[in-house]
Amino acid sequence: MDLRLGNVAATPAERQAVESVLGPAVSRWEGGVRADETEGHVAHGGHEARARRHLLLPILQALQQRVGWISEAAMDHVSERLTVPPADVYGVATFYGLLSVEPRAPRVLHVCDDIACRCAGAEELIEGVEKLLGPENGDDSQEVTWLRSPCLGQCDRAPAALVTVAGAKPHEEVLAPVPGADHAVARITHGPEVEGSEDWVDPAATVPEAGAPQLRLLGRVGHVSPTSLDDYRGQGGYAALRRAIELGPEGVIRELKDSGLVGRGGAAFPTGVKWEAVAHQAVRPHYLVCNADESEPGTFKDRVIMEGDPFALIEAMTIAGFTTGCERGFIYLRGEYPQAKATLEEAIKEARARGMLGRDVLGHGFEFSISIRRGAGAYICGEETALFNSLEGFRGEPRSKPPFPVAVGLFGKPTVVNNVETLVNVPEIVLFGGAAFASAGSGVSTGTRLFCLSGCVEKPGVYEVPYGTKLHTVIEMAGGVAGGRELQAVLLGGAAGGFVGPDELDLELTIEAAREAGATLGSGVVMLIDDRVDLPRMLMRIAGFFRDESCGQCVPCRVGTVRQEEALARLISGDTRGTVEDELSLLDEVGACMKDASICGLGQTAYGAVSSAIKLGAFSR
């Protein structure tokens, strides 16, 4: 492939960042001149280099962490090393919110201004930060700056911020809750600059009922050292993997089908059916992907499991690999979770050292390994096919279906994709049987479910309850509305979900009941909105979120999310085109178009929260 590159060379720091992922460059030299490079014209690498395109995002992340932004010269160097067109490198680098192709200060404070943090005073925090650091991304010294951020997955500890420090020893940490602007600015200005941190938050703090005997998925959180394999095994860990080997792949799939386990990410597809479809594919290799990119505003349950009980996920993935014939698994972890990354890396290292991962797992002759790949700030990559594109080194744009991932998934091979909560249900099913699991709940809603309580609630956190529990019961478990104030609405399922009113709290939390009520459980969000919250302005934030996060691939979503936000802005300002009813009618038309014609779930659900709020009278006069 012929590549036309610029004349500016990458800096030593940029080259070192690329080499940290790819290793040193190997070139042919003839007479002291590179035989494969003349006047900015490069032709080398070929298929071998392009076979490493899946490392493109990790390389760009390494550049961002080392330098603080990604220059044109750095992108040209990456293009040369991977034999990938410069336009492709630029297209990927500009796709993700945590990457920058414009000069940026090495120290960045990302302040969440999404819906849960707004309920907890994010706007006041941002005003304070702006007074201390100046306008957003406007620091003249290029040393410290700040940015508004979409949801950071810390809704239980709002308001939240993410600190990133670029350099030879990059540093990341989450501040949650942020006690004030002074504290946040002090951390970004004078905070630690070494890799890792011992100042991690106790995951049990997000589980108000930690230690309760009825907990299944959350039972070990706070009661074992997250990175101690001995602690995990002392609590029954890896008994399920041994049992799975005894049952064999067909036996595990049978138990999964008997359990009725469905995906916990919102689509609710039967897990046993998915695993069986991949297991029976003759094409090899098979891949397993754990979707840990929980970017839905209001969702943080998977974070708690990964930080508090990582071996449960590792064991579940190993069972999945054994059952479906996958020799390699990937955890696609959202980029804003540094604590989960550090915890998982240490746990995977320990499992590998103790024979729980590798070429001969537990001495039973099957191979399985796990790699962590971090997202870089793109909500759309929670969609499974967009996730595949991201892993492969392309822009995270969804693919059309069919073909489905069970036949043509990651790298074009059969692929199992499940989120964290879905996977960690598997060990219990294998150990105690599918029928025992299905005894909780009914219909397609079997087992227990994790719900993320946030917003204007007294005790935010993750709550585990059997399917079929009433909405008001879960709210009461969390202490009700904070301060005893009046409840205005409850957002179910996150930004892609919908609002229900105070008169609908008798709703059974099952997939069937939610659908019948015109709602969705989605990823388990239960966000309380009290009477102080300006609901129309919250809708504007949700609309802005979808506009920013749309990948832009299809017209209904790319244009519809913009038109939706514009109509809401007119309604809020009072500068309507015609009557309020005219604007609401236009919103309905735009929403119907997005729902019916968008390629993926982002566009199909972008109007859900807005539509439900309108029905609750958000714009009534």
Side-chain angles (χ1 to χ4, degrees):
M1 177 185 293
D2 290 347
L3 303 176
R4 297 283 176 177
L5 307 177
N7 296 320
V8 179
T11 66
E14 290 170 335
R15 289 177 176 272
Q16 289 167 10
V18 174
E19 288 181 4
S20 70
V21 179
L22 288 180
V26 178
S27 304
R28 294 186 297 110
W29 292 78
E30 293 180 10
V33 179
R34 280 185 57 173
D36 50 10
E37 181 176 333
T38 58
E39 299 291 330
H41 175 239
V42 179
H44 73 99
H47 294 296
E48 182 179 354
R50 287 193 294 277
R52 297 196 292 176
R53 177 166 181 154
H54 65 96
L55 296 174
L56 177 54
L57 181 55
I59 293 169
L60 296 175
Q61 290 170 320
L63 284 164
Q64 183 75 35
Q65 290 179 332
R66 180 67 176 84
V67 183
W69 67 290
I70 304 165
S71 69
E72 183 177 346
M75 286 186 278
D76 280 350
H77 182 57
V78 174
S79 173
E80 176 184 357
R81 289 296 309 273
L82 292 180
T83 320
V84 171
D88 282 17
V89 178
Y90 179 82
V92 173
T94 55
F95 188 82
Y96 298 94
L98 293 178
L99 304 181
S100 175
V101 297
E102 298 293 336
R104 180 184 286 178
R107 297 171 176 269
V108 183
L109 180 69
H110 305 263
V111 186
C112 179
D113 76 334
D114 224 309
I115 48 181
C117 283
R118 287 192 173 207
C119 291
E123 285 302 312
E124 291 79 3
L125 173 62
I126 287 172
E127 287 178 12
V129 170
E130 189 167 18
K131 287 179 181 178
L132 294 170
L133 294 181
E136 180 180 8
N137 202 24
D139 178 49
D140 293 332
S141 71
Q142 288 297 299
E143 289 298 324
V144 180
T145 192
W146 70 277
L147 298 168
R148 289 177 180 263
S149 170
C151 182
L152 294 171
Q154 307 288 332
C155 314
D156 54 312
R157 301 184 289 138
L162 173 70
V163 169
T164 59
V165 179
K169 294 181 178 179
H171 172 74
E172 296 177 334
E173 66 173 313
V174 171
L175 308 179
V178 181
D182 291 346
H183 175 82
V185 172
R187 291 300 290 174
I188 190 62
T189 307
H190 306 296
E193 299 180 27
V194 294
E195 266 191 293
S197 171
E198 297 180 359
D199 192 25
W200 296 130
V201 174
D202 180 5
T206 302
V207 184
E209 297 189 303
Q214 73 272 16
L215 297 181
R216 297 180 178 181
L217 304 181
L218 302 175
R220 281 184 293 265
V221 175
H223 289 270
V224 297
S225 170
T227 54
S228 170
L229 182 56
D230 289 332
D231 278 9
Y232 179 70
R233 295 181 69 181
Q235 294 283 329
Y238 279 100
L241 177 57
R242 297 181 186 279
R243 176 59 178 159
I245 294 169
E246 293 174 3
L247 290 171
E250 292 299 327
V252 173
I253 290 171
R254 182 175 60 252
E255 295 296 345
L256 279 177
K257 286 186 168 183
D258 289 346
S259 74
L261 176 66
V262 298
R264 299 316 202 220
F269 191 84
T271 304
V273 173
K274 180 184 292 187
W275 286 25
E276 183 178 49
V278 173
H280 291 171
Q281 292 287 336
V283 176
R284 297 287 170 165
H286 297 174
Y287 291 104
L288 169 66
V289 176
C290 170
N291 185 347
D293 191 49
E294 58 168 3
S295 303
E296 185 68 50
T299 311
F300 45 90
K301 58 186 174 60
D302 290 352
R303 185 202 88 219
V304 172
I305 293 172
M306 290 185 289
E307 293 176 353
D309 196 10
F311 286 109
L313 176 59
I314 294 169
E315 181 182 11
M317 289 183 68
T318 309
I319 293 171
F322 167 76
T323 304
T324 59
C326 300
E327 294 181 347
R328 189 170 185 188
F330 293 91
I331 299 175
Y332 189 91
L333 177 67
R334 74 171 297 184
E336 298 90 342
Y337 282 177
Q339 181 171 344
K341 174 178 177 288
T343 304
L344 282 168
E345 284 178 339
E346 193 170 340
I348 289 171
K349 180 180 178 180
E350 178 70 7
R352 188 183 299 118
R354 300 279 288 274
M356 308 299 184
L357 292 172
R359 294 187 177 277
D360 186 20
V361 176
L362 289 179
H364 283 275
F366 75 93
E367 179 178 350
F368 186 69
S369 64
I370 297 175
S371 301
I372 298 174
R373 292 292 179 85
R374 297 185 75 185
Y379 170 77
I380 189 62
C381 289
E383 197 278 336
E384 59 187 10
T385 60
L387 189 159
F388 297 156
N389 278 337
S390 181
L391 278 172
E392 292 176 18
F394 297 91
R395 288 167 63 87
E397 297 173 342
R399 305 172 183 175
S400 296
K401 302 176 189 176
F404 294 100
V406 294
V408 182
L410 183 63
F411 303 119
K413 303 299 182 181
T415 305
V416 177
V417 188
N418 290 119
N419 69 10
V420 174
E421 184 187 353
T422 306
L423 285 165
V424 295
N425 275 286
V426 171
E428 180 186 351
I429 292 170
V430 171
L431 270 179
F432 303 109
F437 182 88
S439 64
S442 61
V444 299
S445 305
T446 60
T448 61
R449 185 72 200 267
L450 300 182
F451 290 98
C452 307
L453 276 289
S454 66
C456 308
V457 65
E458 193 68 41
K459 295 188 294 182
V462 181
Y463 292 82
E464 181 178 1
V465 297
Y467 262 123
T469 303
K470 298 288 184 70
L471 176 57
H472 69 78
T473 302
V474 176
I475 293 174
E476 289 162 6
M477 291 169 65
V481 183
R485 297 195 65 91
E486 183 180 347
L487 181 66
Q488 180 179 181
V490 178
L491 179 61
L492 285 182
F499 291 93
V500 297
D503 58 340
E504 299 176 86
L505 301 187
D506 208 38
L507 175 69
E508 283 190 359
L509 294 176
T510 64
I511 297 166
E512 300 93 327
R515 286 174 180 169
E516 187 175 341
T520 177
L521 300 185
S523 54
V525 174
V526 179
M527 188 180 298
L528 274 60
I529 311 298
D530 70 19
D531 56 348
R532 294 173 297 180
V533 176
D534 187 332
L535 188 54
R537 292 197 177 278
M538 179 171 281
L539 296 181
M540 272 291 291
R541 181 64 189 88
I542 291 173
F545 172 82
F546 281 114
R547 180 209 64 213
D548 290 340
E549 298 296 340
S550 172
C551 74
Q553 181 181 193
C554 68
V555 173
C557 181
R558 182 176 72 240
V559 177
T561 52
V562 175
R563 296 293 174 260
Q564 173 173 266
E565 186 181 27
E566 291 173 346
L568 287 171
R570 291 193 296 269
L571 283 165
I572 290 172
S573 68
D575 186 20
T576 58
R577 295 178 179 176
T579 65
V580 169
E581 288 69 26
D582 291 335
E583 293 286 8
L584 296 179
S585 177
L586 176 62
L587 275 169
D588 274 338
E589 289 184 27
V590 171
C593 179
M594 289 192 291
K595 181 179 180 180
D596 294 341
S598 295
I599 289 176
C600 79
L602 188 150
Q604 293 164 9
T605 60
Y607 182 54
V610 176
S611 174
S612 61
I614 290 172
K615 291 176 182 177
L616 289 179
F619 294 101
S620 61
R621 293 184 176 180

